[in-house]
Amino acid sequence: MAGVSKVAPTPLLKDELDIVIPTIRNLDFLEMWRPFFEQYHLIIVQDGDPSKVIKVPEGFDYELYNRNDINRILGPKASCISFKDSACRCFGYMVSKKKYIFTIDDDCFVAKDPSGKDINALEQHIKNLLTPSTPFFFNTLYDPYREGADFVRGYPFSLREGIPTAVSHGLWLNIPDYDAPTQLVKPLERNTRFVDAVLTIPKGTLFPMCGMNLAFNRELIGPAMYFGLMGDGQPIGRYDDMWAGWCMKVICDHLGLGVKTGLPYIWHSKASNPFVNLKKEYKGIYWQEELIPFFQSATLPKDCTTVQSCYIELSKQVKAKLGKVDDYFLKLADAMVTWVEAWDELNPSGEKSVEQNGVVVAK
């Protein structure tokens, strides 16, 4: 009918979710994501030279922070935010006021499913976060809350309610998220397999979290999503997201929160230089043989009922046990405390709080 305007449907969680993007370049890639991102608020964390002007396509609602802004807002506590490393993205988590965060890298494009349809990665992450996780007993049809699936025969009815999902970890087509040695021996390998599945990562199981296609419930787990000290002035890089993932998973297991991995896929467009990566990673590759057993054996006391208290306790264990591995971990443990202090300053929880699944959650 003439004169009738088309109204775009309201995206899921439009007013409850921020998209966080770390970058050093113009964000032309957003044009591809416009149908999915345009109605959301973006938080852009500019790394590198703060005098460089980052161009953002017209029509997007965003705020942009560079290193000068981080120093101004956090003061001396800005020392906990990495420089010249994508770990700086976690500053966006801290300044957000929304319940949910989706973070993506600027070399991640819209992927297509096997039918050739564009994948709305954000929509799938939201579905993952809004449905429960099942970390205590594995369901062989994977996520029982997806359409067309359910709990299989033999699954305990007492566990079918599930627990709140804190983190949704997405995957990548094209360039896999490999470490430098694997990149060097498989320079032409590309991931072409689309696996139509979402899984809850079982309790007690760690995983290598990748930050380039990731969503989480900021109210449930935000203070644990610290990407550590990486990049400029640090002896290690490219372990920022994995460090956050290991800390987060220990805390989620303790607090009764779930983590999902699988869908959605994005198209990872370019491989980083494996020789540069090796220089960043080589100490981490060596250290991780001690880091993984540390996190596998880490336990938190029962009186740690908030994410912050869990994270402070974990920082003490990092200092006591990993500090013997290298002095870097003494500095990292202190930065973990600084991060929590800065988080609480920008996100005072005194107004009111609610309890979800026995976990005290700031509102």
Side-chain angles (χ1 to χ4, degrees):
M1 182 185 295
V4 177
S5 61
K6 292 183 179 180
V7 179
T10 302
L12 286 168
L13 306 180
K14 174 183 177 296
D15 299 317
E16 298 181 72
L17 183 145
D18 279 334
I19 299 173
V20 174
I21 305 169
T23 194
I24 58 172
R25 59 182 63 87
N26 295 335
L27 295 180
D28 300 328
F29 91 115
L30 284 173
E31 287 294 352
M32 180 181 293
W33 288 101
R34 186 180 292 275
F36 307 126
F37 289 2
E38 191 170 26
Q39 296 186 61
Y40 289 89
H41 179 68
L42 312 181
I43 297 178
I44 300 164
V45 184
Q46 177 180 344
D47 198 16
D49 183 2
S51 67
K52 180 179 178 179
V53 176
I54 299 293
K55 294 181 180 178
V56 181
E58 291 186 9
F60 287 94
D61 172 36
Y62 71 93
E63 52 191 303
L64 187 149
Y65 298 93
N66 60 32
R67 192 69 203 187
N68 293 338
D69 299 314
I70 294 172
N71 292 337
R72 172 178 53 82
I73 292 168
L74 296 184
K77 291 184 174 65
S79 61
C80 73
I81 304 298
S82 298
F83 183 57
K84 294 185 179 178
D85 192 280
S86 64
C88 67
R89 79 176 78 223
C90 61
F91 177 77
Y93 310 161
M94 182 185 285
V95 296
S96 170
K97 301 303 177 187
K98 304 290 178 62
K99 183 175 181 179
Y100 300 97
I101 294 289
F102 170 54
T103 185
I104 187 171
D105 285 4
D106 59 16
D107 63 348
C108 294
F109 300 163
V110 177
K112 293 184 183 295
D113 67 19
S115 72
K117 181 182 178 182
D118 285 350
I119 297 171
N120 184 345
L122 182 51
E123 181 181 50
Q124 180 64 51
H125 274 301
I126 291 170
K127 288 179 180 178
N128 293 348
L129 290 170
L130 294 183
T131 53
S133 293
T134 54
F136 307 123
F137 199 87
F138 189 78
N139 189 53
T140 51
L141 275 183
Y142 310 123
D143 190 340
Y145 303 101
R146 289 190 68 198
E147 186 177 350
D150 211 321
F151 293 98
V152 299
R153 180 172 57 90
Y155 200 99
F157 282 86
S158 59
L159 296 177
R160 294 190 181 195
E161 186 177 341
I163 61 173
T165 300
V167 175
S168 171
H169 178 256
L171 299 175
W172 345 268
L173 293 173
N174 196 37
I175 306 295
D177 187 29
Y178 285 163
D179 53 36
T182 309
Q183 281 183 292
L184 286 167
V185 298
K186 294 184 173 182
L188 302 180
E189 184 155 291
R190 300 293 181 264
N191 182 33
T192 59
R193 294 180 303 156
F194 181 95
V195 180
D196 187 12
V198 177
L199 290 75
T200 293
I201 299 176
K203 181 179 180 180
T205 299
L206 298 174
F207 74 109
M209 187 174 80
C210 173
M212 73 172 95
N213 175 23
L214 181 71
F216 60 92
N217 184 321
R218 187 175 171 276
E219 289 183 0
L220 285 181
I221 199 62
M225 299 298 281
Y226 174 48
F227 277 44
L229 290 176
M230 303 283 154
D232 192 52
Q234 308 303 334
I236 186 175
R238 284 173 56 82
Y239 272 82
D240 52 334
D241 42 10
M242 286 182 284
W243 178 264
W246 296 328
C247 293
M248 172 275 296
K249 188 58 166 59
V250 169
I251 292 172
C252 280
D253 285 352
H254 174 76
L255 294 178
L257 300 171
V259 181
K260 294 181 180 181
T261 188
L263 300 180
Y265 283 91
I266 50 84
W267 180 270
H268 188 204
S269 65
K270 65 178 183 178
S272 47
N273 187 310
F275 297 100
V276 174
N277 290 347
L278 185 60
K279 187 176 179 180
K280 294 177 180 179
E281 291 175 356
Y282 79 95
K283 286 193 175 181
I285 292 170
Y286 174 70
W287 287 340
Q288 72 185 17
E289 301 306 318
E290 298 193 57
L291 298 182
I292 300 304
F294 163 78
F295 283 107
Q296 287 174 327
S297 62
T299 58
L300 300 170
K302 289 183 178 180
D303 59 359
C304 287
T305 58
T306 67
V307 176
Q308 285 94 328
S309 62
C310 289
Y311 203 70
I312 294 297
E313 171 61 28
L314 199 54
S315 75
K316 295 176 183 177
Q317 296 183 26
V318 168
K319 177 169 284 191
K321 297 181 180 179
L322 295 182
K324 300 173 184 177
V325 175
D326 192 271
D327 287 348
Y328 164 74
F329 292 102
L330 300 175
K331 184 163 63 169
L332 178 55
D334 289 338
M336 293 168 71
V337 175
T338 302
W339 160 265
V340 169
E341 292 172 349
W343 182 283
D344 285 345
E345 285 181 10
L346 293 184
N347 301 276
S349 57
E351 300 112 274
K352 60 177 180 176
S353 63
V354 296
E355 191 169 291
Q356 294 184 18
N357 199 49
V359 181
V360 179
V361 180
K363 291 288 283 183

